[in-house]
C-alpha cells in the first residue's frame, strides 16, 4: 500500500518515528520575532509545520535573539528589552515541540553574562549560539569568549558555533572556521561544541575538528553531496554528528536525506538523527529538573 511517506520518497511513518528526530538547527524567520511581537516568527514556524509533521520530528531547537545587539534592527532590539516575554512565547505556544538557545554577542561580555544567567541559568534556554555574521560576529578565538565559555560550562549548557571554510578566505572579520573552533575546544576540553554546518567545506572541516572529541558536527546548510555522512562517520564516529534541518529555509528532502539515504547502519542513523543530541542536552535538562524540584 502506498502511504504519504513513500509517495514523497520518505521512509515509512514507522521508520521515521523510530528515529525520534531532534533537530539542532531550526531557523524560522532567522529567529526574528518581528516588530509586532511574535507574528513573523509564528508565521514561519507555521510554514514549517507540514515538513516537521511529514518528517515526524519530535523536537526542534531555535536560536532566540534576546536584545544583545545581535540584529541590525534597532526597533526590534528595543522591543526585546522592553518586552522580554516575547522571547519565550514560541516555547509556550509549542511546548512539546520547541526548545531554545540564545544568541550571544561576545562583543559585549557583561551583557552576555547577564543574558546567560537570566535565560540559561534561571530561564528555559539550553545553550548558546554564536553567529558567523552580522553585528555580533566575532572570531571564536577572541579573548572575549573565555569568560563566557567558563560560565556556559558552569551551567552545563551547549555551544553551537557557526563555522565555515570559504574559498578565498573569510568574507567577514568576525567569521569563525572549524580550525579556529578546534583551537578553542582544546582550551575547554570539558565543554561540548557543535560545529554548525560541518564547516561548509565538509571534507576539510571534518579533518580540522577530528582530533577534538568535544566537537560534534552538524549536518545542515550546504547542498547535499554524496559521501559527507559516510566520511564523517568514518573519521569522527557516528556519535559525533548531530542532525540539523535548517527548516524552513532549506528543504526537508535535502537535509533529511543527507542522513537517511546514506550508506550507514540504522543504528548510526538513529544516533545522528536524535540520540546524540539528546545525550548532549542531558546534563542541562537534568539540572533544570533538579532546580525545579528544590
Amino acid at each position: 500500500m502506498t502511504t504519504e511517506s513513500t509517495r514523497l520518497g520518505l521512509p515509512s511513518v514507522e521508520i521515521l518515528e523510530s528515529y525520534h528526530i531532534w533537530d539542532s538547527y531550526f531557523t524560522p524567520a532567522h529567529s526574528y520575532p518581528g516588530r509586532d511581537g511574535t507574528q513573523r516568527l509564528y508565521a514561519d514556524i507555521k510554514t514549517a509545520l507540514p515538513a516537521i509533521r511529514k518528517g515526524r520530528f519530535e523536537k526542534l531547537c531555535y536560536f532566540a535573539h534576546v536584545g544583545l545587539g545581535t540584529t541590525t534592527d534597532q526597533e526590534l532590539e528595543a522591543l526585546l528589552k522592553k518586552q522580554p516575554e516575547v522571547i519565550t512565547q514560541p516555547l509556550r505556544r509549542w511546548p512539546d515541540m520547541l526548545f531554545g538557545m540564545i544568541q550571544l554577542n561576545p562583543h559585549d561580555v557583561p551583557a552576555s553574562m547577564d543574558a546567560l544567567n537570566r535565560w540559561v541559568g534561571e530561564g528555559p534556554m539550553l545553550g548558546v549560539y554564536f553567529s558567523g555574521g552580522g553585528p555580533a560576529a566575532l572570531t571564536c578565538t577572541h579573548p572575549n569568549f573565555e569568560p563566557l565559555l567558563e560560565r556556559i560550562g558552569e551551567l552545563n549548557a551547549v555551544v553551537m558555533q557557526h563555522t565555515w571554510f570559504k574559498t578565498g578566505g573569510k568574507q567577514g572579520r568576525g567569521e569563525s572556521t572549524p580550525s579556529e573552533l578546534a583551537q578553542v575546544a582544546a582550551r575547554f576540553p570539558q565543554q561540548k561544541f557543535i560545529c554548525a554546518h560541518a564547516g561548509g567545506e565538509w571534507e576539510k572541516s571534518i579533518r580540522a575538528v577530528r582530533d577534538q572529541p568535544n566537537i560534534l558536527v552538524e549536518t545542515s546548510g550546504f547542498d547535499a553531496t554524496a559521501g559527507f555522512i559516510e566520511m564523517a562517520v568514518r573519521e569522527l564516529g557516528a556519535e559525533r554528528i548531530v542532525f540539523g534541518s535548517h527548516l524552513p529555509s532549506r528543504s526537508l528532502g535535502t537535509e533529511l536525506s543527507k542522513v537517511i539515504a546514506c550508506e550507514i547502519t540504522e543504528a548510526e542513523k538513529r544516533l545522528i538523527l536524535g540520540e546524540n543530541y539528546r545525550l548532549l542536552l542531558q546534563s542541562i535538562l537534568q539540572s533544570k529538573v533538579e532546580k525545579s524540584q528544590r
Side-chain angles (χ1 to χ4, degrees), residues 112-267:
S112 289
M113 281 289 195
D114 289 343
L116 273 172
N117 291 327
R118 178 177 189 174
W119 295 109
V120 181
E122 301 299 327
M125 301 302 186
L126 303 182
V128 304
Y129 176 82
F130 290 110
S131 175
L138 187 66
T139 304
C140 63
T141 52
H142 192 282
N144 283 12
F145 278 81
E146 297 203 3
L148 297 175
L149 291 173
E150 288 173 1
R151 181 59 181 145
I152 290 165
E154 291 169 355
L155 295 170
N156 295 316
V158 175
V159 174
M160 173 76 81
Q161 174 66 58
H162 188 281
T163 59
W164 212 273
F165 277 129
K166 293 182 176 176
T167 302
K170 294 184 181 183
Q171 295 177 339
R173 295 179 62 186
E175 291 182 332
S176 297
T177 67
S179 293
E180 289 164 331
L181 180 59
Q183 294 176 41
V184 175
R187 295 203 302 271
F188 292 86
Q190 302 308 311
Q191 176 64 49
K192 294 293 187 180
F193 298 88
I194 302 176
C195 177
H197 314 315
E201 293 188 11
W202 48 268
E203 290 178 283
K204 183 177 179 181
S205 302
I206 288 168
R207 295 187 179 101
V209 304
R210 179 171 51 195
D211 294 333
Q212 293 303 322
N214 53 330
I215 297 179
L216 292 82
V217 299
E218 182 269 328
T219 63
S220 78
F222 55 90
D223 292 341
T225 48
F228 159 51
I229 292 292
E230 288 88 345
M231 178 182 176
V233 169
R234 184 172 64 250
E235 298 290 332
L236 305 176
E239 68 279 0
R240 286 181 58 190
I241 310 167
V242 295
F243 170 72
S245 75
H246 218 297
L247 286 172
S249 56
R250 303 287 293 194
S251 75
L252 173 71
T254 296
E255 300 303 325
L256 190 55
S257 291
K258 286 179 181 178
V259 181
I260 63 174
C262 67
E263 296 183 1
I264 59 175
T265 68
E266 286 297 304

Side-chain angles (χ1 to χ4, degrees), residues 1-7 10-14:
M1 183 177 67
T2 301
T3 66
E4 181 187 33
S5 291
T6 56
R7 181 175 58 80
L10 295 170
S12 69
V13 167
E14 292 75 18

